C-alpha cells in the first residue's frame, strides 16, 4: 500500500538526486507515477544498503544476516531523516535466531564498524529457545518487534538500565509504559545456554549479560536506534518503517 512507502518517497526527494533523469526537478519528479517513484526509491535504498553492508568492518565478529540488516537500515534512515536519531548507532537484535547464540549487533554507522556482539534475552512468553510470539500489551511478558529510540540511563532493580521508546504505533509504542528496557541479567549467559539449551528469559526486556551491559548502555543511550527483527509477516504488514 502506498501509505507504507510514502516515507521512502519523501526521503528520496530530499536525500537523493531524482531517479528519472539527471536534470529532473522536484516538480517533474512528483508528477511521475507514485508507484514508480516508490519502486525506484526502494531500489536505491537497497543499493545503498548493499554497498554499506559490503564495506562494514566486522571487527573480527560475524555480521548480521543481510535481511535483518536491510530492514534495520530502512527504518534507521527514515528515523534519522525525521530527526529522531542523534546518536548514530544502530543496534540490531535478530529474534529469528536461537537464544543460545549471540544475536545482538551494535554498529557505529559513522565509522561503519561493528562495536559489539552479544547474547540477548526475549520475553518468557515469547518462546523458549526461539522467540515466536510478540506483543505490545501490558503484562504479556512478551517481546515487541520493531524500531526503538533509546532514552535515558537510570538505576533500577537490575542496576544500570536504559529506557526505550517504541517508534511504531500498535507494535511497540507501549514499551515505556511496560518498562521494556535494556538491562543486565545473570540469566543471560553462555553457560546457562549450554546447560539447558536456551538462556533465561525476561518479562519482555532485551536483557544482556552483566559483563557488557554498562558498556552497551553507555554506547547506545541518548537517541540511538534499536531494531528488534523477526521475519514476521504480521509485523511487516503493520510497520510503516519497513517494506
Amino acid at each position: 500500500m502506498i501509505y507504507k512507502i510514502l516515507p521512502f518517497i519523501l526521503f528520496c526527494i530530499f536525500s537523493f538526486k531524482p531517479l528519472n533523469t539527471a536534470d529532473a526537478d522536484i516538480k517533474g519528479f512528483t508528477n511521475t507515477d507514485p508507484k514508480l517513484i516508490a519502486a525506484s526509491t526502494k531500489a536505491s535504498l537497497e543499493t545503498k544498503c548493499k554497498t554499506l553492508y559490503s564495506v562494514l568492518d566486522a571487527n573480527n565478529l560475524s555480521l548480521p544476516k543481510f535481511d535483518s540488516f536491510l530492514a534495520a537500515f530502512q527504518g534507521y534512515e527514515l528515523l534519522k531523516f525525521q530527526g529522531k536519531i542523534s546518536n548514530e548507532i544502530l543496534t540490531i537484535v535478530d529474534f529469528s535466531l536461537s537464544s543460545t547464540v549471540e544475536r545482538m549487533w551494535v554498529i557505529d554507522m559513522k565509522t561503519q564498524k561493528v562495536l559489539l556482539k552479544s547474547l540477548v534475552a526475549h520475553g518468557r512468553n515469547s518462546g523458549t529457545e526461539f522467540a515466536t510470539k510478540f506483543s505490545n500489551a501490558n503484562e504479556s511478558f512478551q517481546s515487541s518487534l520493531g524500531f526503538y529510540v533509546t532514552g535515558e540511563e537510570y538505576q533500577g532493580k537490575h542496576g544500570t538500565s536504559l529506557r526505550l521508546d517504541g517508534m511504531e504505533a500498535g507494535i511497540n509504542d507501549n514499551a515505556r509504559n511496560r518498562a521494556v528496557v535494556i538491562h543486565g541479567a545473570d540469566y543471560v549467559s553462555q553457560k546457562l545456554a549450554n546447560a539447558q539449551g536456551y538462556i533465561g528469559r525476561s518479562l519482555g526486556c532485551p536483557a544482556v549479560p552483566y559483563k557488557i551491559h554498562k558498556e552497551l548502555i553507555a554506547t547506545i543511550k541518548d537517541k540511538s536506534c534499536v531494531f528488534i527483527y523477526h521475519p514476521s509477516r504480521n509485523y511487516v504488514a503493520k510497520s510503516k518503517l519497513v517494506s
Side-chain angles (χ1 to χ4, degrees):
M1 296 176 67
I2 194 66
Y3 79 91
K4 288 192 65 179
I5 51 181
L6 182 58
F8 286 102
I9 297 172
L10 296 174
F11 183 76
C12 180
I13 291 172
F14 289 105
S15 301
F16 300 100
K17 292 181 180 178
L19 300 172
N20 293 337
T21 64
D23 59 352
D25 59 15
I26 293 299
K27 180 178 179 181
F29 185 73
T30 55
N31 285 338
T32 305
D33 184 342
K35 291 183 179 180
L36 293 178
I37 296 173
S40 296
T41 304
K42 183 178 179 181
S44 293
L45 199 65
E46 288 185 5
T47 298
K48 183 179 179 183
C49 181
K50 287 178 181 177
T51 299
L52 175 58
Y53 189 79
S54 69
V55 299
L56 277 178
D57 180 355
N59 195 20
N60 296 317
L61 302 166
S62 64
L63 293 175
K65 293 184 296 185
F66 181 74
D67 287 351
S68 63
F69 184 77
L70 174 60
F73 182 78
Q74 290 178 19
Y76 172 87
E77 289 287 279
L78 284 170
L79 291 171
K80 184 179 174 184
F81 173 71
Q82 293 167 2
K84 295 179 180 179
I85 293 172
S86 54
N87 181 0
E88 295 182 49
I89 302 293
L90 172 60
T91 301
I92 301 173
V93 175
D94 187 350
F95 276 163
S96 73
L97 300 176
S98 165
S99 69
T100 64
V101 302
E102 293 181 327
R103 53 184 180 167
M104 170 187 277
W105 288 262
V106 179
I107 303 170
D108 187 324
M109 298 295 277
K110 292 177 71 175
T111 64
Q112 301 176 354
K113 182 176 182 179
V114 177
L115 302 178
L116 185 144
K117 187 181 176 189
S118 175
L119 293 170
V120 58
H122 55 254
R124 72 185 188 193
N125 287 343
S126 283
T128 306
E129 178 184 353
F130 289 89
T132 58
K133 298 178 181 179
F134 308 97
S135 176
N136 193 36
N138 292 334
E139 306 301 322
S140 66
F141 303 144
Q142 293 182 19
S143 298
S144 299
L145 299 178
F147 289 89
Y148 300 78
V149 170
T150 59
E152 68 278 14
E153 176 184 328
Y154 72 100
Q155 295 298 315
K157 64 180 181 180
H158 298 286
T160 302
S161 305
L162 182 66
R163 299 196 190 279
L164 298 173
D165 291 301
M167 295 290 104
E168 304 202 65
I171 298 174
N172 62 16
D173 59 338
N174 199 29
R176 186 173 281 258
N177 184 50
R178 291 177 62 200
V180 173
V181 303
I182 292 177
H183 64 78
D186 55 13
Y187 55 76
V188 184
S189 74
Q190 196 63 58
K191 183 178 180 180
L192 187 59
N194 294 341
Q196 64 181 21
Y198 58 94
I199 62 172
R201 294 159 294 165
S202 68
L203 299 183
C205 298
V208 298
Y210 270 122
K211 67 180 180 180
I212 62 100
H213 83 291
K214 288 185 178 180
E215 175 189 0
L216 171 66
I217 289 171
T219 300
I220 71 173
K221 67 181 181 180
D222 298 332
K223 299 192 181 303
S224 76
C225 179
V226 174
F227 176 55
I228 298 181
Y229 170 83
H230 187 276
S232 162
R233 292 183 180 180
N234 186 51
Y235 167 70
V236 173
K238 290 181 178 180
S239 178
K240 296 183 181 180
L241 292 174
V242 300
S243 62

